[in-house]
Amino acid sequence: LSWIEDAKKRAALDATKLVVNDQIVGLGTGSTTKYMVDELGRRVREENLRIRGVPTSIQTADQAKINGIPLTTLDECPRLDIAIDGADQVDPNLNLIKGLGGALTREKIVDTAAKDLIIIIDERKLSERLGWNQVIPVEVIPMSRVPVSEKIRELGGNPSIRQLKNGRGPFVTDNSNYIIDVDFGVIADPSQLEQDINMIPGVVENGLFIDVTEAVFVGYREGVKKIQKSV
Ligand code: 5RP
């Protein structure tokens, strides 16, 4: 493991200790949450941990099933005890940018349904200001991509439709939509921008997660630090 993988894994393992019997657990998406899902699976198999998971993507659902974690839905369990998820950028107020993995809409639905949202990252994701060197992913209905892009320019952003790495057209989300990645530069008012983007017709959701995080576990080159929301 490179030190980054090691840092992600240590943050994930520490956060996973918060999960206890009989909880409904939101399961995030990405390369950091992968360690969390594997560890929950290990505890289910080896320690008889009794939980049910609500996955935030098809990819995480598949990984949870392979791990033997029982799954449920928001139809059955609309309130979760805890959700553990990754992030692309975290500011000192524990506001987030998420969605580089493309799962932002289901993540926002599941993560905000949880009593406690716990974020796991490596130290590279910490930033004094949101938007510094970081695009905001916006999920859009495919037919709306051009008018949404124009309205995003009016809001001061520089939009680009996310493409598949193999060059075969736009990236498609689990919800059969497109992602527009928007460079806004450093964001002065993340809460206002989250609302402004979501008011554009055709936008399904955006990757700003404001004032929803309870705690962040940060994996460093050595050790893990837990940052708690200040009240
Ligand atoms: C996916 C996400 C991920 O949580 C975010 O991209 C972090 O991923 P990783 O842990 O692989 O860096 O928001 O939509």
Side-chain angles (χ1 to χ4, degrees):
L1 289 183
S2 70
W3 77 264
I4 293 166
E5 289 304 307
D6 192 40
K8 289 180 187 179
K9 185 170 182 177
R10 279 185 279 109
L13 294 194
D14 269 19
T16 306
K17 288 182 190 145
L18 297 174
V19 177
V20 295
N21 271 334
D22 300 319
Q23 282 187 327
I24 309 295
V25 183
L27 306 173
T29 295
S31 60
T32 313
T33 57
K34 192 173 172 303
Y35 293 113
M36 175 271 295
V37 175
D38 282 345
E39 173 64 3
L40 279 180
R42 186 196 67 73
R43 287 177 60 194
V44 166
R45 293 187 305 274
E46 295 177 11
E47 298 172 6
N48 296 321
L49 177 69
R50 267 192 328 271
I51 55 163
R52 280 179 292 163
V54 178
T56 54
S57 62
I58 294 170
Q59 180 192 318
T60 296
D62 290 345
Q63 197 204 343
K65 282 178 206 154
I66 291 168
N67 267 286
I69 300 170
L71 296 180
T72 184
T73 63
L74 292 174
D75 290 349
E76 282 175 42
C77 301
R79 299 296 299 271
L80 280 58
D81 298 289
I82 185 170
I84 304 180
D85 206 343
D88 303 307
Q89 197 166 57
V90 179
D91 81 1
N93 297 319
L94 308 193
N95 292 327
L96 320 171
I97 294 176
K98 286 181 53 53
L100 250 61
L104 62 138
T105 299
R106 294 191 191 194
E107 290 175 331
K108 200 179 274 191
I109 294 167
V110 172
D111 292 354
T112 60
K115 190 170 151 291
D116 291 333
L117 170 60
I118 309 298
I119 294 296
I120 50 180
I121 54 169
D122 65 77
E123 61 170 303
R124 299 170 308 159
K125 310 281 186 66
L126 292 173
S127 173
E128 278 302 309
R129 305 293 295 273
L130 286 186
W132 172 257
N133 255 332
Q134 181 63 59
V135 293
I136 299 177
V138 179
E139 180 161 354
V140 302
I141 304 285
M143 68 167 285
S144 74
R145 63 178 163 171
V146 174
V148 169
S149 295
E150 284 176 2
K151 292 211 162 64
I152 279 174
R153 279 199 193 87
E154 287 167 19
L155 287 178
N158 184 16
S160 63
I161 306 273
R162 189 180 299 180
Q163 300 293 324
L164 290 171
K165 293 211 170 64
N166 62 17
R168 298 212 175 136
F171 172 91
V172 177
T173 69
D174 286 355
N175 315 308
S176 304
N177 293 321
Y178 292 164
I179 299 278
I180 303 181
D181 288 311
V182 189
D183 185 359
F184 279 99
V186 168
I187 299 161
D189 187 344
S191 176
Q192 186 63 50
L193 185 60
E194 180 189 23
Q195 294 175 42
D196 288 347
I197 296 171
N198 279 3
M199 285 303 292
I200 301 172
V203 169
V204 178
E205 193 45 86
N206 73 76
L208 286 165
F209 284 51
I210 308 304
D211 204 21
V212 290
T213 305
E214 183 63 27
V216 179
F217 285 76
V218 188
Y220 287 86
R221 214 172 251 275
E222 278 165 25
V224 177
K225 195 173 144 198
K226 180 182 180 187
I227 312 174
Q228 196 88 28
K229 180 165 107 180
S230 54
V231 273

